[in-house]
Amino acid sequence: MTGIGVEAGAQAARSRALAVLRIRSRALAVALLPAAVAVVLLAGGSTGHLVGGVWDAARLVMSVFGVLVLLAAGAIALVVARARPAVSPTVAIAEEAAPDLYRMVRDLADRLDVPAPSAIALTPDCDSWLEDRTHPAHGPPPQEGRDDEIAGAGGSHRRVPAAPVLVIGSPFLWWMRVGELRAVLAPVVAGTGPSAHPDIAAARRFVRGLDAAVAVGSTPGRCPLTRVLCAGVASAARLMLRGCREHAALMERGVAAAAAERAQAVDYGLRIVAQEQVGLAYAGWDRLLTRVALPAWRMGRWPSRLDAGVVAALTELSRRDRLAEGFASRLGERPACDLLEEPGTIDEAASLLAARLFHGGPAENGPDWAPVDWQEYPEEVVDRKWRLDAARLHRVLDAQGVTRTPGTTAPDSHAPTLARVLTHLSASHHAAPEPPATRQTGPALDASPSAPAPSNTPAAADGETAPQGPPAPDDESVRAGAGTRTAVEGEAETLAAALTAELAREEATTSHPRSAPETTPWDDTALPLFPLQPPRTARELLTDHVTAMVCCAAIDTAGATPGLDWLDGPSLLINGERAADLTPRVLSLVEDGDPAPLRAWLVKSGIRPEKPVRLV
């Protein structure tokens, strides 16, 4: 059945490849048709059959039109042939840097009876695929003597297409065991068989060329004439792409089906277990990037051992989650990163590339873009981030004219304190705003301020009196409660907007240069290519800054320490335990103007909000 499935998938892919090539042939026929008509008219005139003024005019028009169409077709064909197709950004792995990995891949190709990939590269993502890089702009041609091995020519000197490059997700190498990696790569490597077919290779080159031609037409910075010509080429390429899109998609589907069928016979039982590890690695990688790496990138630091961090994160997950208890026993087996000669160096290169793709950082180290080890992360990233955020919060408060905490004495009267933030955000919570003149109806307004409810009750949050029974509130009390909440939200929104503007100014003045080496075969003018998260809202920024101020106060007044949680990122450690209950209390202050839950937590933790903190 496997052989039948492989043959069926390959035959479907070849038929679709021929359909793509027929579209290319039709385009060529359309381009040659005016010139052919002109040749017929010229031949008829020379033989004396098509004579007269009308035929002479037709010959002239068709000759000019045929030449113009041929020139346009030649220009389009030249752009399609010479345009550099897009190439995924990867870390190239030379055979000298990973001989065992190359040996394993070639052995896998032999078992599958397919050509071996021409090279191996790593991508900072949880995926693996084959990528054709035979275009001259992508690098030097294959070494002499390797064509037979790559294409499986069996000693023939006939020129065959070079095999594609095998791209492996770098997290797989660090988390998976050697056997698991081989099982995951089996269906990927099996795809080199259909790729060696001339019709499929030609169809893929044609589609990639059209795609590259479309990209050429959208490149900015050209003169008006060149821009018009490129736009015309792009329009023609886009028209042909629409015609062959469905055939190309079905061709790739047939190639994938044939590769999957061929790989069924290789490590089938282990592949089921390995697919579970793929999902687990993806979850750990996504959590590590968004919770751990992203805060460091925003500060101008990039963790240099992201792949090693994946192992730590997934190990921590296996410790916390009872469903993942079996995963910890795998750590005794040989990890796939042992197939690399210098895994630390490759991990660093993949980590830098991940920072560029997901955050848009520069390609090289610099004063504002330096690597950081995991041991240094709590002090170099967590503590510094909190103090930078706290300093920004106090600068904004100073700019808004918010006074320092009353009751302090010199020299603490001008020092930054947590109490200042608490007082400012909760001031409007304790004093209800004056209602408009048109709402001064007397009795209801005279009763409400005489008996204020406690600040941590729902009634106080709504601006109502302490509950004395079940009577329903009147319209004036409801409006007064709405006015109180509006004032609370207004204070928070004003501060949040000011923080957003201040952060935007800082990022504009310290933005990283995004220039890339000339050899980079991908467009990095729109970094990050894969942003991890949407921009933070103003309310989220305010919450982060208030949390940072609380953490700074805890470190300076209660002996707390910054920490790193592999699954949740920066964390505050009080007496060696993670303070996991801080966020809801900060949200109560920011969203409702209610400081009571946070003040109770500060007292319980021994944090002194009136004491000054050290800022960066």
Side-chain angles (χ1 to χ4, degrees):
M1 292 297 295
T2 299
I4 297 176
V6 171
E7 183 62 28
Q11 188 62 35
R14 291 168 187 169
S15 64
R16 293 296 176 173
L18 291 176
V20 172
L21 295 179
R22 280 195 295 270
I23 293 176
R24 185 183 66 177
S25 300
R26 291 168 188 167
L28 178 61
V30 170
L32 294 177
L33 181 60
V37 173
V39 170
V40 171
L41 292 176
L42 291 173
S46 64
T47 57
H49 290 85
L50 303 176
V51 295
V54 176
W55 291 110
D56 292 339
R59 272 190 288 272
L60 178 61
V61 171
M62 290 307 301
S63 298
V64 174
F65 182 65
V67 170
L68 292 178
V69 171
L70 285 178
L71 290 176
I76 295 173
L78 183 63
V79 172
V80 171
R82 295 183 62 86
R84 183 174 63 183
V87 175
S88 303
T90 56
V91 176
I93 304 297
E95 186 170 356
E96 296 76 14
D100 291 343
L101 180 60
Y102 271 80
R103 190 177 302 111
M104 184 196 76
V105 171
R106 286 173 181 160
D107 176 70
L108 183 60
D110 290 340
R111 294 176 60 184
L112 294 169
D113 193 24
V114 296
S118 59
I120 298 176
L122 296 186
T123 178
D125 201 358
C126 293
D127 198 2
S128 297
W129 66 88
L130 293 172
E131 189 165 281
D132 189 349
R133 297 184 179 179
T134 56
H135 194 277
H138 293 160
Q143 300 176 6
E144 294 184 4
R146 292 290 303 277
D147 282 352
D148 292 348
E149 175 191 351
I150 292 174
S156 173
H157 295 285
R158 177 177 176 268
R159 190 178 184 275
V160 294
V165 174
L166 173 62
V167 181
I168 306 174
S170 62
F172 294 163
L173 283 173
W174 269 259
W175 174 244
M176 289 185 174
R177 310 299 101 179
V178 173
E180 294 170 349
L181 180 65
R182 183 174 57 246
V184 168
L185 294 181
V188 183
V189 175
T192 61
S195 300
H197 191 275
D199 293 335
I200 296 177
R204 284 177 166 175
R205 284 195 302 270
F206 178 61
V207 173
R208 285 195 304 270
L210 293 177
D211 185 69
V214 172
V216 168
S218 60
T219 303
R222 291 192 171 95
C223 66
L225 179 59
T226 306
R227 188 162 54 247
V228 170
L229 295 177
C230 290
V233 172
S235 299
R238 199 175 290 111
L239 179 62
M240 288 185 283
L241 270 179
R242 284 197 295 267
C244 63
R245 180 184 294 118
E246 182 179 358
H247 296 299
L250 293 177
M251 177 187 69
E252 297 299 339
R253 187 178 301 175
V255 169
E261 287 291 339
R262 185 179 292 273
Q264 291 288 337
V266 178
D267 299 332
Y268 178 75
L270 190 57
R271 284 175 58 196
I272 299 176
V273 179
Q275 288 301 322
E276 298 178 358
Q277 304 306 317
V278 170
L280 188 65
Y282 183 86
W285 179 249
D286 180 73
R287 197 76 175 258
L288 185 75
L289 292 182
T290 55
R291 304 294 180 88
V292 179
L294 188 58
W297 293 340
R298 286 172 173 165
M299 291 184 55
R301 306 295 298 273
W302 55 278
S304 58
R305 295 293 186 272
L306 281 179
D307 291 308
V310 172
V311 178
L314 294 178
T315 304
E316 178 66 15
L317 178 63
S318 67
R319 185 184 67 84
R320 296 183 188 180
D321 191 354
R322 288 182 300 175
L323 297 177
E325 290 178 356
F327 296 136
S329 61
R330 303 169 47 260
L331 301 180
E333 303 175 14
R334 186 189 182 193
C337 62
D338 280 357
L339 300 174
L340 307 174
E341 291 293 309
E342 297 181 0
T345 302
I346 295 178
D347 192 0
E348 184 173 352
S351 300
L352 181 57
L353 181 57
R356 300 199 66 204
L357 296 181
F358 300 114
H359 183 66
E364 298 177 353
N365 297 338
D368 299 325
W369 189 245
V372 59
D373 293 332
W374 292 125
Q375 294 80 4
E376 303 172 351
Y377 188 94
E379 290 295 331
E380 295 292 330
V381 175
V382 179
D383 184 79
R384 185 165 172 261
K385 173 186 181 299
W386 286 341
R387 298 192 186 277
L388 285 173
D389 288 351
R392 186 181 301 110
L393 176 61
H394 280 279
R395 286 199 306 271
V396 172
L397 291 175
D398 291 339
Q400 292 182 343
V402 179
T403 59
R404 300 284 177 169
T405 304
T408 57
T409 59
D412 295 341
S413 57
H414 298 289
T417 63
L418 176 60
R420 180 193 191 192
V421 179
L422 295 175
T423 301
H424 176 67
L425 290 178
S426 59
S428 59
H429 177 74
H430 296 286
E434 294 184 1
T438 57
R439 298 179 184 174
Q440 293 180 357
T441 56
L445 297 180
D446 293 339
S448 58
S450 61
S455 60
N456 59 348
T457 62
D462 292 335
E464 301 172 3
T465 60
Q468 302 294 331
D474 57 16
D475 293 342
E476 291 297 334
S477 62
V478 172
R479 285 194 291 266
T484 301
R485 181 170 296 276
T486 301
V488 173
E489 294 178 353
E491 291 288 340
E493 293 295 338
T494 301
L495 181 57
L499 281 172
T500 303
E502 177 68 15
L503 185 61
R505 283 192 295 268
E506 294 179 8
E507 291 179 349
T509 57
T510 61
S511 59
H512 300 301
R514 293 179 177 179
S515 60
E518 294 182 358
T519 57
T520 301
W522 51 284
D523 177 22
D524 84 340
T525 59
L527 291 173
L529 298 180
F530 312 103
L532 293 178
Q533 292 178 337
R536 290 172 291 179
T537 64
R539 185 62 62 87
E540 290 171 343
L541 283 175
L542 178 57
T543 302
D544 291 344
H545 283 72
V546 175
T547 302
M549 188 63 201
V550 174
C551 294
C552 290
I555 294 173
D556 292 346
T557 67
T561 57
L564 168 61
D565 187 282
W566 289 110
L567 298 177
D568 295 325
S571 61
L572 179 67
L573 302 180
I574 300 179
N575 298 325
E577 297 291 334
R578 180 188 171 199
D581 52 351
L582 174 58
T583 300
R585 290 162 171 79
V586 174
L587 289 175
S588 179
L589 173 65
V590 171
E591 296 181 354
D592 302 327
D594 184 6
L598 181 57
R599 288 187 183 277
W601 184 86
L602 295 174
V603 172
K604 178 182 177 181
S605 303
I607 301 172
R608 304 284 299 276
E610 74 281 0
K611 292 293 184 179
V613 298
R614 176 177 59 86
L615 303 179
V616 175

